[in-house]
Amino acid sequence: MIPSHPIAVWRRGSGAGNFRRANLKPDDFAFAADSVQRLLQEVHGVGQVHCLCRGEIQGAERQLSVRMRGDTYFLARYPLSRAEHDPECRWALGDEGSGSGNGGDADELRVSLPVGRSLRERPEKKEESPDAGKRKGTRSGTRPRSTTLLGLFLWLFDEAELTWWHPGFHNRRSESVSMSRIRRAAERIKWAGRSIAEGLVIAPAGSWSREAWGFQRARNREALQGALERKERVLVIAELLGGPEPLRSSPKVRRLPVLSSPYPIGADPMGEPELMEELRRRFPTAWAELNRPVRTRRVWLIGAAEPRSRDGRPSATLWLKTASLAMTTAQYIPVDSEYEAVLAERLVREGRAFRKPVRFDGSEDTLPDFELRDLDPPMPLEVFGMSTGPYLEARARKTAHYDETLGPRGWWFWDATRDANPPNLPQSIGSPSSGSP
């Protein structure tokens, strides 16, 4: 998880009791992730880490714990220290923790999805819109955080740091790297008491015949076999080739063709026509992209599916119980609209460092569409692409917020309802060092 404020790291020096200090900026965790991992490994169990969200520390306040999961090191809040952090700090926010809700960060995020994991559970709730959380409020303590399938997809991509971009990532953010990052991120999420990674099936655009995908394909088979034995559903994340097509052997069934060929067990995800109609209605932008003659974006399926068996082994069928669609750029950066995709591609083309903030639930937080990270301070970027009444009211509130907190020149916007192309972007004053893609 990328921190929201600078971090101070003390590592042991050459003499007894001597420590050397290193400062880390939030951008370092995205753009120089390999160096950050080496530093956290060095101080794990022997050094000290402090959050600087309220400036320099005095004593032991705002101390952070360095933890390890697999071969990855990450930071976590110490128990009973939430109040020490700035209200906007990453370690003052969130539902993680134990006991009264003021415990240390949990090793993983626990989520509650609209569909149950076990095939023996009570009937599932209907998948809700991304705004449903606004009506439900925020959960606290040890209870799982409710989210939608789309919210989980965005959380995974953000945790995998695919929402960050630096020009040094060109030719380094490959399919295999991106999918491996998503699988590692899934290890930190629990669904119905166990890691999502244990039942995660990934189908990216790469050909499964390549040696690099042998490990991912094996993990998919393990996930399907384990789900059959436990009578559970699996979580499917697949890049789609096109819209739904009737199954030849059963025309009333619709299959969603995926780009990986063959799919982990030789078949595409499939479901009822009513589910496909629901996807068309709820995700019109991604659906329209699926049916374009020339594809310029990546369209993803995230769904809960029931594996089928033949002689006790996974068969060539994954039956979708519920699903969502999401869209990303060619660089795996999530976007909510075609206008956002146009702006993201321009940022990449012009060699800018930026990130795409994403909302996992229906929170009311004011999040920019993008954040330009090669400026000091980072600059919010907004895309205004609609002219309906409620949208214009939200736009007015966001404009007033930015003008009040940053000033009219402290943020940038593109009125896509008026201008066909984005206006010129502020010039960069320097870029962070290149790191992990």
Side-chain angles (χ1 to χ4, degrees), residues 153-189:
F153 176 90
L154 295 174
W155 194 96
L156 285 168
F157 271 61
D158 190 59
E159 183 71 8
E161 299 173 3
L162 297 175
T163 54
W164 295 69
W165 181 259
H166 183 276
F169 294 170
H170 270 299
N171 301 320
R172 298 175 60 195
R173 182 171 285 184
S174 64
E175 296 161 355
S176 58
V177 167
S178 300
M179 297 305 103
S180 294
R181 282 177 166 270
I182 291 173
R183 198 179 286 279
R184 287 200 301 268
E187 293 174 355
R188 292 196 59 209
I189 311 177

Side-chain angles (χ1 to χ4, degrees), residues 74-103:
F74 63 96
L75 299 176
R77 182 185 62 238
Y78 261 62
L80 305 177
S81 66
R82 186 194 298 268
E84 297 177 3
H85 293 267
D86 184 272
E88 297 300 320
C89 179
R90 175 258 183 272
W91 284 288
L93 304 173
D95 301 332
E96 302 91 340
S98 58
S100 64
N102 196 27

